[in-house]
Amino acid sequence: MMKYYSHYYLYLNTMTTRYNYYSSHYVALTNRKRMHPCLVSRLLGSGGAAVCKVFNVVRRGASSSTTTTETTKTTTSNGSIHPNLDIHRLLHLRCVGVFAHIDAGKTTVTERMLALAGIVNRAGSVDTGNTVTDYLPAERERGITIQSAAISFPWKWHNRSIVQHDVAVIQRSQSDRGHVTNHHPQNDEDDDDEVTIQLIDTPGHVDFSVEVNRSVAVLDGAVLVVDSVAGVQAQTETVWRAIARPSMKHGIKKQEEEQGQRQGQGQKDKSMESRTTRDFHGHEPLACLAFVNKMDKEGCNFGYALKTLRQRLPGANPVAIQIPIFQTETAAATGSGQRSVNGNGQTDMTLLVDHLMAVPPSDLTMTSVQSGKFVGIVDLIDMRAVVWPDVASSDVGDVEECIPNVYNLLPIKDANEMEDENVWVGSQQVREVALASRQDLVASLADLDETMEDCFLMERSPSADELRCALRKLTMDRKILPVMAGAALRGKGVEPLLDAIADLLPSPLHRQPPVLLDQGNSTKQRFIENTSKRPSKIKFGHPLHPSLLALAFKVIHMKNRGGSGDGRVVFVRIYSGKISTRDTIRVISSNMSGEQGVKPWTERVGGMLELAGGRFDNLKEAVCYSGGVCALIGLKNVSTGDTIVSDSLDSKGKKGRKEQGQIGADYEIVSGNKCLAGVGAPKPVLTVRIEAENGEQQAKLMDALNLLVKEDPSLKVKETESVTLLSGLGELHIEVVVDRLKREFGLSVWTGKPTVAYRETIFEAFETPGMVNFDRTVGTTRMQAQVHLRLEPLDESQSVEDCMILQEPIVVLSQHVKEYLGFHADVEERELGQRCEIAQAILLGCKGALKRGPISSNAISNVKCIVQEIHSEGGISSLKSLPGAIRAASSNILMSLLNENKPCCSVLEPNMSIEINVPADMVGTVLSDLTTRRGTVGDVVMAEENDASNKALIYGQVPLAEILGYANNLRSITNGEGVFSAEYKGHSACNQ
């Protein structure tokens, strides 16, 4: 009797059970494996109760022995995991995010992964609102992802050669440092076939891009989901920019990045060593996989999706490691695609394979399979055809009904191999196209990898292991973007995607430690440079370093769950060390604005919650180690972007010296206020007036808004005596906030008409005519000072007509002013503001004046203000006695300077990149409507002649103020067939 479940077979041979991966890569005994709950119930109903009973007894025994082993062998004197086994654990860890444009199917992909891993019995559906990661009521009602959600699950890892290679490299690297790293081979057979995937499902709508930013900052790898019909879309480009350049504000200058790249250039052939020994500490962009989803959709085109990846994603370099297989119309007509079961319990697809055709990546028309049905893929690495059965829609959620058949496309060499392999007996076209596509894959890698170059020049076909290792190295070096195909809603293609996550994406050990800031005792910040003459020390923030370093990348509030007064739950990524329940931690808030910083404080971890999408169960005596993501409760004042370190990380205290003694000479000793640079958030572009129903609820409204601002840094609230203004990233963003106020806080609010966030800037430099005197008497106090100011655009090469990303105005003091105040010319303004009251008064006065422009009283952006000279009749002593005088002088003189040069100023308005999908015969109508909205058309892509959808894509740019409520208007002029998406591009000069 045989059952085939998910990605492996289950054989019941008397009292012994074994799993076999669908591609016959790896076989393991089940007395070391986990049995799926729904599979247990099936076995109990089919005479397998005795097997389940024995299995559970063996499993409990194995589990207890593993715990004992870890307690006796894996802990050190300070309670951390032994480095040897910590390396093993980290190599089997993947922290991955799923990114996509809205409606590309990433939540469906995530749900399928959870079902295959045994986390849920059936895969949920976005349409029915029963998914794990979309747990908010608004998410399930709207069918979109609003908040990122994290969940962890195991997956079988079948390519043992990869982890063995990594262990060998790290052993050599550690031995070069003088460390003893004897890996425990007795644990390989138990653990090397399972990898833990920590998955974060992110929103695809542009209004919730802050969730993408903070997720990218803490991930090690990414999966980019692309629609097979539309290809790369507007938000796909946005998330790619986040993936290629993480939003964590590491403050790395361009020349420093280039220097770090040059330092790693000479070690290309030692990718693992280069990642673990390089001095450059930049938080790297993410290695990424692309998954072309919805291949079962009408009008799907794998080649077109691949083309858009190459053309619209800078530096992506997509390479297809799979090609799709379609069932031709002939098979459907003859009924050969219907399922039948052979004597072994497998789906009999002998007739089906005769009518299958593979489509190469170069085929952009897909005319040969235009009316066909997507049924599987060809794995170009192992040269196997994976064909999924065609099941009813009601059975798609059950992974046992969607078990693929795997066929070897290469000739069988011996009889033993024949027993384990299904030989391809179908169309010769599939084998021929697969061989040609594999040769194209090797050719595309030849310029990037020496092994592939040798194979290409010698006309030798590389082995599966050689090709897989080359793909892994190039993927982690971000030189290629492996592309796969599937249809997650139909249960096709997700198993190979999970295998690719384990095989090709990096572990925490493959990543650089994040950039650190040193705030010092006066909250001054500077970037920590590597001045150590001993590169053998493991840096603070490296996963093997025992000292705690973590980033609070997300905060939510849950009633009766958070442990603190407001129910705060803090999501944390641990870079090094470990964190446990009831630990006392030190919290450091990053200060990137240059204003007075908050001194570090200590808090106590009240507990941890299980990361399972929307289910947050309390974990007793929980511990989270380096590389992991956890949810902490009981923290009262931690906000998004705060750094968490051990309370003993203080060189002044006894605890700090004690911990430094335990760390030893192998690790970098840290002290002081070391912090991460925080998480970036986009600036709001839309503002509404918001009011409560009565005065009693107004106070509750402000409390609720303050909590939401803590959760969402892109949300801004401004309260005046007469009005409360709520600013966000778009109409949907504001709607979701209002909906949460009603659902979670019981507040009914009124909102006004949306207004866009205008700004002002200058497009020409100007300055005061020398020193300008300010002399005013307030009461009995005379305030007198002289100031010479100069204003210039922040980027003089950029025209005001171009779209510019908003940047806060910068105020700098000239060398003459610094010397006048008694400081060296190299001292930065941030430090001056902390050490000198006069400098702080000048900076605050200028920044205050730049908050109101001369044209429309909007804040001024992208401007550099230079304080050339200052003076006072009483000298510097009078300025020290009355700093308010120089502050008032700089503010008033700057406002007068702006009013005098109003013709050199301009109002900026937010502009959106827009992508409109409309029927081809309505393009003219839509273009005329865009023109009336002050829009500019960039490109119009008409459908191919053989494309049955007959759709056209319009790319353009339009002011945000002109497309408020545009969705209803577009549906009206296109008879309900037009859809659009928009993303913020920047601010440009307003013509009205």
Side-chain angles (χ1 to χ4, degrees):
M1 169 178 150
M2 181 180 69
K3 279 281 187 180
Y4 188 178
Y5 174 69
S6 185
H7 58 295
Y8 43 74
Y9 291 95
L10 175 64
Y11 294 92
L12 298 180
N13 298 325
T14 60
M15 303 302 290
T16 304
T17 310
R18 67 171 182 170
Y19 292 105
N20 185 13
Y21 178 57
Y22 71 77
S23 58
S24 303
H25 279 211
Y26 182 66
V27 178
L29 296 178
T30 55
N31 59 2
R32 295 186 291 268
K33 304 301 165 192
R34 174 167 49 261
M35 184 171 287
H36 193 279
C38 71
L39 190 58
V40 172
S41 61
R42 288 176 177 267
L43 291 174
L44 290 174
S46 59
V51 176
C52 294
K53 184 176 180 180
V54 174
F55 178 86
N56 289 328
V57 171
V58 175
R59 179 183 169 192
R60 285 195 298 269
S63 177
S64 61
S65 63
T66 302
T67 304
T68 305
T69 302
E70 291 180 353
T71 304
T72 58
K73 294 184 179 181
T74 68
T75 57
T76 60
S77 58
N78 61 353
S80 62
I81 291 184
H82 193 281
N84 297 341
L85 294 184
D86 210 17
I87 291 174
H88 184 276
R89 176 186 63 84
L90 290 166
L91 287 175
H92 288 71
L93 182 63
R94 302 290 182 270
C95 193
V96 179
V98 183
F99 303 89
H101 183 88
I102 188 171
D103 290 335
K106 57 180 174 42
T107 300
T108 305
V109 173
T110 302
E111 196 70 18
R112 197 74 195 179
M113 290 180 178
L114 300 181
L116 290 169
I119 301 300
V120 294
N121 293 342
R122 287 179 60 89
S125 172
V126 175
D127 297 331
T128 57
N130 61 344
T131 59
V132 174
T133 53
D134 287 352
Y135 58 89
L136 293 178
E139 290 178 318
R140 296 186 170 182
E141 289 177 2
R142 299 173 184 266
I144 61 173
T145 302
I146 296 174
Q147 283 191 356
S148 58
I151 192 167
S152 179
F153 59 87
W155 183 253
K156 303 295 185 264
W157 195 4
H158 315 287
N159 298 305
R160 296 168 60 88
S161 59
I162 291 179
V163 67
Q164 291 170 354
H165 173 267
D166 283 353
V167 170
V169 172
I170 288 191
Q171 284 180 347
R172 291 197 302 268
S173 176
Q174 297 294 318
S175 62
D176 291 341
R177 295 186 175 97
H179 303 164
V180 179
T181 56
N182 295 322
H183 190 66
H184 298 278
Q186 63 269 23
N187 293 331
D188 288 353
E189 192 175 356
D190 291 339
D191 302 325
D192 279 353
D193 66 330
E194 189 169 275
V195 62
T196 299
I197 299 176
Q198 295 182 144
L199 194 71
I200 297 182
D201 181 23
T202 63
H205 199 284
V206 65
D207 285 10
F208 310 108
S209 56
V210 65
E211 296 285 345
V212 174
N213 290 352
R214 56 186 173 190
S215 297
V216 165
V218 298
L219 293 172
D220 296 327
V223 175
L224 184 65
V225 181
V226 179
D227 191 300
S228 64
V229 178
V232 172
Q233 298 169 274
Q235 186 65 7
T236 314
E237 298 181 78
T238 303
V239 298
W240 174 256
R241 286 194 293 269
I243 291 170
R245 191 176 184 86
S247 61
M248 197 170 181
K249 300 183 294 184
H250 297 280
I252 304 172
K253 297 180 181 179
K254 184 176 180 180
Q255 56 266 31
E256 293 176 332
E257 291 180 340
E258 294 174 352
Q259 179 183 359
Q261 292 172 359
R262 288 193 298 270
Q263 290 175 357
Q265 189 72 17
Q267 301 184 12
K268 288 184 177 180
D269 56 335
K270 300 180 180 179
S271 59
M272 175 69 77
E273 287 185 277
S274 65
R275 291 184 179 88
T276 56
T277 62
R278 275 170 48 190
D279 292 336
F280 182 61
H281 273 233
H283 185 95
E284 304 165 281
L286 301 182
C288 185
L289 304 174
F291 183 71
V292 180
N293 193 28
K294 300 187 177 182
M295 288 297 298
D296 59 331
K297 189 176 178 181
E298 182 181 358
C300 67
N301 194 321
F302 183 72
Y304 172 75
L306 200 67
K307 178 182 176 181
T308 59
L309 287 169
R310 182 176 297 106
Q311 292 181 343
R312 299 183 60 180
L313 301 185
N317 190 19
V319 294
I321 62 174
Q322 295 177 355
I323 57 174
I325 300 177
F326 286 84
Q327 175 188 348
T328 61
E329 190 175 15
T330 306
T334 58
S336 59
Q338 297 181 3
R339 303 182 69 198
S340 61
V341 180
N342 59 21
N344 294 327
Q346 290 181 267
T347 302
D348 188 0
M349 308 183 83
T350 304
L351 294 176
L352 174 63
V353 296
D354 290 332
H355 302 279
L356 299 185
M357 294 187 66
V359 180
S362 58
D363 189 349
L364 300 180
T365 61
M366 298 185 65
T367 54
S368 59
V369 292
Q370 185 174 358
S371 58
K373 181 186 298 182
F374 174 75
V375 295
I377 56 96
V378 172
D379 179 5
L380 298 180
I381 301 176
D382 293 288
M383 285 301 290
R384 298 172 188 271
V386 185
V387 182
W388 280 266
D390 186 18
V391 299
S393 300
S394 58
D395 296 331
V396 169
D398 191 347
V399 293
E400 293 186 67
E401 299 295 330
C402 303
I403 307 303
N405 279 40
V406 181
Y407 302 91
N408 189 358
L409 297 178
L410 296 177
I412 299 299
K413 298 179 181 180
D414 53 49
N416 293 331
E417 192 175 354
M418 177 73 75
E419 295 178 0
D420 296 330
E421 299 285 349
N422 288 332
V423 183
W424 180 260
V425 294
S427 171
Q428 188 66 19
Q429 185 266 357
V430 174
R431 180 181 284 110
E432 293 174 354
V433 172
L435 289 173
S437 299
R438 195 174 197 264
Q439 292 175 357
D440 293 340
L441 173 60
V442 174
S444 64
L445 302 180
D447 293 335
L448 305 173
D449 184 81
E450 292 182 359
T451 304
M452 294 299 103
E453 183 181 15
D454 293 340
C455 293
F456 178 72
L457 295 176
M458 300 299 294
E459 297 184 354
R460 178 178 67 87
S461 178
S463 66
D465 288 340
E466 288 177 328
L467 185 54
R468 185 177 292 106
C469 288
L471 288 169
R472 185 168 190 256
K473 178 180 179 296
L474 295 174
T475 303
M476 291 194 294
D477 288 341
R478 299 173 304 280
K479 294 181 180 179
I480 62 170
L481 175 66
V483 183
M484 312 174 73
L489 186 62
R490 307 298 301 177
K492 302 174 182 179
V494 182
E495 296 98 329
L497 176 61
L498 285 166
D499 289 334
I501 290 175
D503 291 342
L504 305 182
L505 292 185
S507 70
L509 284 176
H510 295 92
R511 304 282 292 168
Q512 288 283 358
V515 168
L516 298 176
L517 300 177
D518 187 1
Q519 286 191 328
N521 295 327
S522 62
T523 69
K524 176 194 72 172
Q525 288 186 335
R526 62 180 177 85
F527 288 97
I528 300 174
E529 299 179 358
N530 181 29
T531 58
S532 174
K533 297 182 180 180
R534 295 188 59 190
S536 61
K537 287 190 176 182
I538 296 178
K539 295 297 179 181
F540 179 50
H542 190 278
L544 295 180
H545 199 287
S547 297
L548 173 64
L549 176 65
L551 174 70
F553 67 93
K554 181 175 179 178
V555 172
I556 63 174
H557 295 85
M558 302 176 63
K559 292 183 179 180
N560 304 323
R561 182 67 69 178
S564 57
D566 55 6
R568 185 170 305 188
V569 179
V570 181
F571 290 82
V572 171
R573 165 67 192 265
I574 300 178
Y575 290 101
S576 64
K578 65 181 180 69
I579 192 168
S580 309
T581 303
R582 293 190 296 275
D583 276 358
T584 301
I585 59 174
R586 183 179 179 86
V587 184
I588 306 173
S589 180
S590 63
N591 173 28
M592 298 299 294
S593 62
E595 300 178 358
Q596 184 70 29
V598 179
K599 292 184 178 180
W601 69 96
T602 58
E603 294 199 36
R604 190 179 182 89
V605 179
M608 288 190 193
L609 301 180
E610 180 184 5
L611 292 180
R615 191 181 77 249
F616 297 93
D617 297 330
N618 287 295
L619 300 176
K620 296 182 179 180
E621 306 297 332
V623 181
C624 187
Y625 295 97
S626 61
V629 175
C630 59
L632 306 180
I633 60 176
L635 304 178
K636 299 180 180 179
N637 300 308
V638 177
S639 300
T640 301
D642 287 349
T643 302
I644 296 176
V645 297
S646 173
D647 186 35
S648 59
L649 189 60
D650 186 359
S651 61
K652 294 184 177 182
K654 295 181 180 180
K655 291 183 179 180
R657 290 195 294 269
K658 181 179 179 181
E659 181 174 300
Q660 291 175 11
Q662 291 177 346
I663 289 177
D666 292 338
Y667 305 97
E668 179 186 33
I669 297 178
V670 291
S671 61
N673 297 330
K674 304 294 189 300
C675 72
L676 300 165
V679 178
K683 295 184 180 298
V685 297
L686 199 69
T687 302
V688 298
R689 180 180 175 182
I690 184 169
E691 294 180 0
E693 289 185 341
N694 52 58
E696 180 182 354
Q697 288 195 345
Q698 185 65 28
K700 296 181 180 179
L701 173 62
M702 289 309 302
D703 292 339
L705 289 176
N706 289 332
L707 289 181
L708 294 179
V709 169
K710 288 285 186 181
E711 296 184 9
D712 188 352
S714 65
L715 198 66
K716 303 296 181 184
V717 176
K718 182 179 180 181
E719 185 180 24
T720 64
E721 294 181 357
S722 58
V723 66
T724 301
L725 299 178
L726 176 65
S727 301
L729 299 180
E731 293 178 279
L732 182 59
H733 192 194
I734 300 297
E735 289 177 11
V736 169
V737 171
V738 173
D739 182 73
R740 291 190 62 188
L741 289 173
K742 181 178 180 180
R743 291 178 186 270
E744 300 178 18
F745 300 94
L747 298 173
S748 297
V749 298
W750 173 87
T751 56
K753 186 178 179 180
T755 59
V756 301
Y758 293 97
R759 293 290 186 270
E760 294 186 34
T761 191
I762 64 173
F763 55 87
E764 188 177 305
F766 48 84
E767 60 182 302
T768 59
M771 299 281 283
V772 177
N773 185 52
F774 174 81
D775 193 345
R776 186 171 300 175
T777 302
V778 180
T780 59
T781 303
R782 183 191 179 201
M783 305 177 70
Q784 187 276 331
Q786 298 176 2
V787 183
H788 179 194
L789 298 175
R790 173 181 172 84
L791 278 177
E792 59 186 37
L794 197 58
D795 186 359
E796 296 183 357
S797 63
Q798 192 172 34
S799 171
V800 72
E801 301 297 332
D802 299 333
C803 268
M804 60 182 73
I805 300 299
L806 294 183
Q807 299 182 50
E808 294 295 330
I810 298 175
V811 181
V812 298
L813 306 182
S814 67
Q815 179 179 348
H816 182 272
V817 174
K818 292 179 181 179
E819 293 175 352
Y820 180 81
L821 297 175
F823 291 92
H824 194 271
D826 295 335
V827 180
E828 296 182 357
E829 279 69 22
R830 185 184 289 110
E831 183 178 353
L832 272 177
Q834 301 294 336
R835 297 171 57 184
C836 178
E837 290 188 32
I838 300 176
Q840 185 181 30
I842 297 172
L843 297 175
L844 292 176
C846 292
K847 288 182 178 180
L850 293 172
K851 291 182 178 180
R852 293 178 63 88
I855 301 177
S856 57
S857 298
N858 290 298
I860 299 179
S861 300
N862 297 67
V863 168
K864 183 178 181 180
C865 177
I866 305 173
V867 183
Q868 303 277 29
E869 296 178 89
I870 61 171
H871 187 64
S872 177
E873 293 179 357
I876 192 171
S877 59
S878 64
L879 295 178
K880 288 182 178 180
S881 61
L882 188 60
I886 191 67
R887 177 173 181 174
S890 58
S891 177
N892 283 271
I893 293 172
L894 182 53
M895 286 191 292
S896 300
L897 179 63
L898 287 168
N899 288 323
E900 293 171 1
N901 294 272
K902 188 180 295 186
C904 298
C905 302
S906 176
V907 176
L908 301 177
E909 65 176 343
N911 269 258
M912 310 295 286
S913 293
I914 192 169
E915 179 181 305
I916 310 175
N917 190 331
V918 297
D921 56 349
M922 297 182 180
V923 171
T925 304
V926 175
L927 292 179
S928 299
D929 183 68
L930 274 182
T931 304
T932 62
R933 298 174 183 271
R934 297 187 289 132
T936 58
V937 179
D939 192 14
V940 178
V941 180
M942 303 299 293
E944 300 287 342
E945 294 182 2
N946 299 320
D947 192 347
S949 63
N950 195 28
K951 294 280 188 176
L953 285 175
I954 301 174
Y955 300 97
Q957 180 179 317
V958 64
L960 174 61
E962 300 291 343
I963 58 170
L964 296 177
Y966 180 61
N968 294 331
N969 181 268
L970 180 63
R971 283 194 292 267
S972 175
I973 63 178
T974 60
N975 298 326
E977 296 187 51
V979 294
F980 86 101
S981 61
E983 67 164 334
Y984 171 70
K985 184 177 182 181
H987 274 62
S988 62
C990 179
N991 299 323
Q992 290 189 351

